[in-house]
Amino acid sequence: MANELDEMTGPVNEQGRDVNVIEKQIPVKVGIGSTIFEILLWVCGIIPGIIFLIMKINARTYLRQLQQKIQHDASQIDNYLEQRVVILQNAAKLLDKAIDLDKDTMTKVAAYRAGAGNQVDDAQRNAASANIDKLFGQINVAFEQYPDLKAHNEIEQCLQQNSYLQKEITAARELYNDTVYRWNADIQAWPTKMIVAAKAGYTTRIPFSTSAEIKEKARGTFF
């Protein structure tokens, strides 16, 4: 039998293909077959019905705990974002003392300092992260325009801390995405978890996604 996917003969997309995270939550639904399945368990005897009832209780507990795990992972991202904003604020103040930094940048930094760590959903968290990246980009541009500032120890420490936190945020997002993947897979696991999820009105969750601007920058030349 021939391979269904043969990397030697194609077909191949010579232009390549970009991918995007779909911003859509899909509700869990079960059909009449699931209802018939549950009824048949009770028809077959009280023991099968009770066993499945206990399984559903355990599944409900598991999914609720998994929701808390997702919240915990999201909170970790918020914590790192808040730390980045604090460092951003410190760096902006140091630069403002040395050069005439754009006042609009300082105003935006203050605004994000006030709102960091209070994102209510994934979309807001992603947007805040992208905007913080933009502000750091503006500060880095100012930093590069004044090479003498590189000798400033406190500014150098801020940039090093920012680099460290960027790595921590990336790791936290990976952990968050792993938990979201587990949730999305488990709520589709028929019969127990899927039936429980459908009755509870659960939906799939959206993993972290980056902005179009960051994707475009990633295609640029860095060296």
Side-chain angles (χ1 to χ4, degrees), residues 23 25 70-71 74-75 77-78 81 115 117-129 176 205-209:
E23 193 80 7
Q25 292 179 297
I70 292 174
Q71 288 296 303
S75 177
I77 298 174
D78 287 347
L81 286 175
N118 296 316
Q119 318 308 326
V120 298
D121 58 30
D122 298 338
Q124 288 187 358
R125 185 173 294 108
N126 290 347
S129 178
Y176 173 80
R205 294 174 182 264
I206 303 167
F208 168 78
S209 60

Side-chain angles (χ1 to χ4, degrees), residues 11-223:
V12 176
N13 184 353
E14 300 289 349
Q15 303 302 317
R17 174 177 294 170
D18 201 356
V19 295
N20 295 287
V21 175
I22 305 302
E23 193 80 7
K24 182 178 181 181
Q25 292 179 297
I26 303 173
V28 181
K29 296 180 180 180
V30 292
I32 188 64
S34 296
T35 304
I36 294 173
F37 171 77
E38 291 192 76
I39 293 173
L40 286 176
L41 288 176
W42 288 104
V43 171
C44 291
I46 192 171
I47 299 300
I50 292 176
I51 291 175
F52 191 66
L53 179 61
I54 294 172
M55 290 173 62
K56 287 195 297 181
I57 293 172
N58 291 337
R60 186 180 298 110
T61 300
Y62 167 79
L63 291 176
R64 286 175 177 173
Q65 291 174 345
L66 191 56
Q67 280 194 102
Q68 293 302 316
K69 177 68 166 57
I70 292 174
Q71 288 296 303
H72 173 269
D73 293 347
S75 177
Q76 286 291 92
I77 298 174
D78 287 347
N79 288 340
Y80 286 127
L81 286 175
E82 184 172 10
Q83 290 180 52
R84 263 195 93 191
V85 174
V86 172
I87 293 171
L88 173 66
Q89 187 178 39
N90 293 338
K93 286 180 179 178
L94 290 169
L95 284 171
D96 195 44
K97 291 179 181 179
I99 61 176
D100 186 19
L101 188 64
D102 183 1
K103 299 304 178 183
D104 183 56
T105 298
M106 293 294 293
T107 301
K108 290 179 180 177
V109 169
Y112 280 107
R113 176 68 183 93
N118 296 316
Q119 318 308 326
V120 298
D121 58 30
D122 298 338
Q124 288 187 358
R125 185 173 294 108
N126 290 347
S129 178
N131 286 323
I132 291 169
D133 287 337
K134 290 180 184 178
L135 291 176
F136 258 109
Q138 292 173 15
I139 286 180
N140 281 332
V141 168
F143 184 77
E144 292 297 329
Q145 288 175 343
Y146 296 85
D148 292 342
L149 291 177
K150 292 183 179 180
H152 198 305
N153 185 52
E154 290 180 328
I155 294 177
E156 183 63 27
Q157 287 180 356
C158 283
L159 296 178
Q160 289 177 355
Q161 290 172 346
N162 173 59
S163 178
Y164 165 76
L165 284 173
Q166 281 182 304
K167 295 177 183 178
E168 291 297 319
I169 289 172
T170 298
R173 285 168 177 165
E174 286 288 339
L175 181 61
Y176 173 80
N177 281 352
D178 287 344
T179 310
V180 166
Y181 170 77
R182 195 197 318 170
W183 169 271
N184 290 343
D186 284 343
I187 61 174
Q188 299 293 339
W190 192 86
T192 315
K193 293 174 184 174
M194 191 172 183
I195 290 175
V196 169
K199 289 183 178 179
Y202 291 152
T203 68
T204 58
R205 294 174 182 264
I206 303 167
F208 168 78
S209 60
T210 192
S211 65
E213 182 178 359
I214 296 298
K215 285 186 176 183
E216 188 61 32
K217 287 182 178 180
R219 299 186 184 99
T221 301
F222 295 93
F223 303 102

